[in-house]
RNA sequence: GUCCGGAUGGUGUAGUGGCCUAUCAUGAAGCCCUGUCGAGGCUUCGACCCGGGUUCGAAUCCCGGUCCGGGCGCCA
């Protein structure tokens, strides 16, 4: 608890130096780190003014920081006149620094309050506010996103991103524990990954280039290097004009690729990674889950496997609009399957015609392939496959999809010089968080979402 | 892209042709109040998305536009 020993001599931002070297953070404690048993100790808190309740002879200023709320209590007749003036004059959501003594007080929230010796307003907030961070009055998603910086001061909004951080941490843990290497592949590329999906064109000096829709081709090329197991958590860009609560034009994709593995191996990795993330969040994000009112059930592994053909049969037995074998599964069917199954599941053995050219067909039954989707009852979370590693087959598959192998030369080249068999998947981070926390709209799971119309903030 | 619904003070809302000089809450400004914890009391401030039309009269009905939400399509 080194922080407790830091002394403060001045209330001037940026001049607190520790032995003339590293600038100190102004606060000594987060509000969540204070407890009644610290009665009498001096602390410095910093944060936003959540509320001021002025009762006349006694005035409460509630300070909010990342870890909670702390009540600062001023007895206006006894306290320093100037201090009283500052506390009464500060606007809600202004940034303040409060130095004072912890007082154990049963009448105060959490059993303690701060008796201030000095209060400094570091930044004054304008009024009226674009939304109410205390949550007394709600705000629509659009209003919240327009003032996202302020929306995130609402504990329920911030909790989502603390949990998202925990999810990424857990995923990285899983990958490192399994011998993976984290990589970064280019986001500015010369060609589409697989055709079909629309790309954002950009101007790259004198040439046209695109924002990458997926790290697919690059992570596969890395399988030709001997890195064997790679993962990447990075942005992908899709120029589709979709307009739903589970699509965005910029998303974070969690991608893995594994050499000497097949689709079964990477499905096991995927279900383990997802279940571990749930477990990690349930064990480490107690306060955030409580704020969100979420009881987290860790999904049981292994997840159920359902083949594409079985899924079609389930849908037609239910008397729903039947699909032709070879159609992609439509949203209505997807929701039906989700409602019947009620937990995470894999959809496997897809028709080769539905999946991209790099998906490995079964040797004995080439009309189906080793591609899979990871489904949450409400939506698709991930898709993956064992990949084609044979050069001739890959070129043929590209041609069958109506694409020109010449434009994929940079990708195909490694397949001629020793490409191990490999498999992998890509998982939508925001969708994982959205489904985990039962958020209605994916925009709630992204700090600054990019959709068809929204480009700012 | 398409279908359905919507747009009222800063925020969230009530209001389906005249009773609207527009409701309530929150907020802001001011006053009172020594234990609040969505504090309370009193006073004040602040709004009908844009354009056209119907009508004696439009926040309200019609047309067009813009934006928002949801479904589908497309997609991860």
């Amino acid at each position: 608890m080194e922080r407790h020993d830091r002394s403060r001599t001045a209330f001037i931002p940026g001049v607190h130096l520790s032995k003339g070297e590293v600038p100190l953070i102004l606060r000594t404690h987060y509000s969540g780190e204070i407890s009644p048993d610290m009665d009498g100790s001096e602390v410095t808190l910093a944060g936003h003014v959540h509320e001021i309740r002025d009762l006349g002879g006694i005035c409460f200023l509630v300070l909010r920081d990342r870890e909670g709320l702390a009540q600062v209590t001023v007895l206006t007749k006894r306290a320093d006149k100037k201090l009283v003036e500052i506390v009464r004059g500060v606007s809600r959501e202004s940034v303040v620094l409060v130095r004072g003594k912890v007082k154990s007080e049963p009448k105060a929230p959490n059993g303690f309050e701060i008796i201030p010796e000095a209060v400094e307003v570091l930044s004054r907030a304008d009024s009226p506010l674009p939304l109410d961070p205390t949550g007394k009055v709600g705000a629509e998603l659009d209003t919240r996103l327009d003032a996202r910086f302020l929306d995130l001061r609402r504990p329920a909004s911030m909790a989502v991103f603390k949990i998202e951080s925990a999810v990424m941490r857990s995923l990285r843990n899983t990958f490192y524990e399994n011998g993976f290497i984290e990589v970064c592949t280019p986001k500015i590329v010369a060609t589409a990954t697989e055709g079909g999906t629309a790309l954002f064109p950009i101007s790259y000096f004198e040439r046209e280039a695109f924002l990458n829709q997926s790290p697919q081709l690059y992570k596969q090329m890395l399988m030709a290097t001997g890195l064997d197991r790679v993962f990447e958590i990075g942005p992908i860009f899709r120029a589709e004009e979709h307009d739903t609560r589970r699509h965005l034009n910029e998303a974070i994709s969690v991608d893995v690729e594994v050499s000497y593995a097949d689709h079964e191996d990477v499905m096991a990795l995927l279900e383990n990674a997802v279940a571990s993330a749930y477990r990690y969040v349930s064990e480490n994000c107690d306060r955030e889950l409580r704020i969100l009112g979420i009881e987290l059930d860790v999904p049981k592994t292994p997840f159920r496997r359902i083949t594409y053909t079985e899924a079609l049969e389930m849908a037609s037995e239910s008397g729903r609009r039947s699909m032709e074998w070879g159609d992609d599964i439509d949203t209505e069917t997807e929701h039906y399957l989700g409602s019947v199954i009620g937990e995470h599941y894999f959809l496997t053995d897809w028709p080769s015609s539905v999946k991209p050219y790099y998906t490995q067909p079964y040797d004995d039954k080439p009309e189906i392939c080793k591609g899979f989707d990871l489904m949450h009852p409400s939506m698709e979370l991930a898709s993956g496959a064992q990949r084609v590693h044979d050069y001739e087959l890959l070129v043929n598959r590209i041609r069958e999809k109506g694409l020109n192998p010449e434009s994929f030369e940079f990708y195909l080249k490694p397949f001629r010089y020793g490409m191990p068999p490999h498999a992998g998947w890509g998982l939508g981070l925001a969708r994982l968080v959205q489904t985990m926390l039962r958020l209605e709209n994916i925009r709630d799971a992204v700090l600054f979402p990019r959709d068809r119309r929204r480009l700012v903030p």
Side-chain angles (χ1 to χ4, degrees):
Chain A
M1 285 283 152
E2 183 204 327
R3 243 180 278 174
H4 293 203
D5 303 320
R6 286 179 198 161
S7 60
R8 289 290 169 286
T9 53
F11 266 2
I12 303 165
V15 300
H16 302 277
L17 298 181
S18 166
K19 293 172 188 151
E21 290 164 3
V22 186
L24 280 178
I25 292 166
L26 289 168
R27 68 164 65 84
T28 59
H29 295 75
Y30 278 112
S31 56
E33 295 174 313
I34 300 177
S35 54
D37 57 27
M38 288 164 63
D39 187 75
S41 47
E42 184 174 294
V43 295
T44 302
L45 298 183
H48 291 101
V49 175
H50 186 69
E51 251 178 325
I52 298 163
R53 282 191 283 272
D54 187 353
L55 276 64
I58 190 166
C59 182
F60 303 105
L61 181 154
V62 181
L63 178 145
R64 183 187 61 246
D65 60 31
R66 206 182 70 186
E67 306 301 328
L69 302 171
Q71 174 169 289
V72 178
T73 302
V74 182
L75 294 170
T76 53
K77 283 167 190 160
R78 268 191 269 159
D80 177 71
K81 246 187 175 163
K82 217 167 163 194
L83 190 146
V84 173
E85 206 175 292
I86 291 169
V87 169
R88 284 196 159 141
V90 71
S91 56
R92 288 166 78 227
E93 296 306 318
S94 291
V95 175
V96 294
L97 196 59
V98 176
R99 191 191 67 214
K101 285 214 166 65
V102 177
K103 186 184 168 208
S104 170
E105 173 54 70
K107 279 182 278 188
N110 303 318
F112 74 88
E113 61 191 9
I114 307 297
I115 308 301
E117 278 152 26
V119 175
E120 186 182 344
V121 179
L122 300 180
S123 170
R124 195 183 157 78
D126 269 355
S127 165
L129 299 163
L131 55 81
D132 171 24
T134 67
K136 274 184 255 179
V137 180
E140 289 187 357
L141 181 61
D142 198 50
T143 306
R144 291 170 43 218
L145 292 176
D146 280 341
R148 191 57 143 158
F149 68 94
L150 201 54
D151 174 54
L152 288 162
R153 293 184 198 173
R154 296 168 54 245
S157 284
M158 187 179 280
V160 172
F161 297 97
K162 287 185 177 174
I163 289 173
E164 190 162 282
S165 170
V167 166
M168 283 193 277
R169 181 170 176 162
S170 169
L171 291 169
R172 284 197 166 92
N173 287 158
T174 301
F175 298 144
Y176 286 126
E177 281 161 12
N178 284 283
F180 280 76
I181 287 169
E182 183 163 11
V183 297
C184 302
T185 63
K187 303 308 158 202
I188 300 174
V189 299
T191 55
T193 303
E194 49 197 84
T197 197
L199 292 104
F200 287 109
I202 60 168
S203 153
Y204 193 70
F205 304 106
E206 70 283 0
R207 282 181 287 176
E208 186 181 51
F210 302 94
L211 293 177
N212 206 182
Q213 70 190 74
S214 154
Q216 182 64 30
L217 304 188
Y218 287 91
K219 60 180 186 169
Q220 278 196 267
M221 286 191 283
L222 290 174
M223 295 300 94
T225 65
L227 277 170
D228 268 18
R229 294 165 180 232
V230 302
F231 79 95
E232 173 166 20
I233 301 178
I236 57 172
F237 305 92
R238 308 274 163 110
E240 279 135 14
E241 302 201 5
H242 36 44
D243 188 10
T244 79
R245 48 187 176 149
R246 59 185 187 281
H247 288 96
L248 290 172
N249 295 293
E250 177 180 323
I252 300 300
S253 178
V254 180
D255 269 274
V256 309
E257 206 64 29
V258 190
S259 287
Y260 310 103
D262 66 11
H263 56 304
E264 294 287 350
D265 296 323
V266 292
M267 275 193 273
L269 173 71
L270 178 52
E271 64 195 357
N272 178 30
V274 168
S276 298
Y278 270 76
R279 197 174 309 114
Y280 187 88
V281 168
S282 73
E283 286 167 4
N284 294 281
C285 304
D286 219 46
R287 179 170 169 254
E288 287 70 32
L289 290 171
R290 223 173 329 109
I291 288 169
L292 291 168
I294 299 284
E295 290 261 350
L296 208 57
D297 291 322
V298 179
K300 286 177 191 60
T301 54
F303 297 161
R304 194 164 154 191
R305 268 78 167 157
I306 292 166
T307 67
Y308 169 87
T309 305
E310 285 165 356
L312 250 56
E313 282 162 8
M314 286 169 71
S316 75
E317 276 165 23
S318 77
R320 307 186 75 83
R321 179 159 58 94
S322 69
M323 297 187 306
E324 293 288 314
W325 198 93
D327 290 345
D328 203 348
I329 292 181
D330 60 36
T331 309
E332 192 192 345
T333 307
E334 197 178 293
H335 288 162
Y336 169 73
L337 294 172
S339 69
V340 171
I341 295 162
E343 57 187 9
H344 290 85
Y345 64 102
F346 282 109
L347 270 177
T348 65
D349 299 0
W350 286 75
S352 301
S353 57
V354 180
K355 289 289 174 188
Y357 58 81
Y358 47 75
T359 311
Q360 178 77 223
Y362 281 96
D363 292 338
D364 52 343
K365 227 182 167 191
E367 65 274 18
I368 59 171
C369 67
K370 300 182 178 180
F372 61 85
D373 285 355
L374 171 62
M375 307 297 298
H376 179 271
S378 60
M379 73 185 79
E380 180 181 338
L381 295 183
S383 67
Q386 181 181 331
R387 322 296 190 186
V388 176
H389 69 279
D390 180 80
Y391 176 78
E392 299 298 334
L393 178 57
L394 190 54
V395 170
N396 286 338
R397 291 275 292 148
I398 289 173
R399 287 214 181 91
E400 282 168 23
K401 295 282 179 183
L403 300 167
N404 181 3
E406 279 169 35
S407 54
F408 293 92
E409 177 53 22
F410 75 99
Y411 163 68
L412 288 169
K413 198 169 169 183
F415 288 79
R416 294 200 299 266
Y417 299 94
M419 176 63 86
H422 58 280
W425 42 258
L427 165 72
L429 177 67
R431 283 189 176 188
L432 178 61
V433 173
Q434 182 190 359
T435 51
M436 179 185 282
L437 303 180
R438 295 161 220 158
L439 304 173
E440 299 221 324
N441 196 308
I442 196 165
R443 289 158 183 80
D444 266 316
V446 177
L447 286 170
F448 299 103
R450 289 289 172 266
D451 63 33
R452 179 67 186 89
R453 292 201 180 76
R454 183 175 285 279
L455 193 53
V456 286

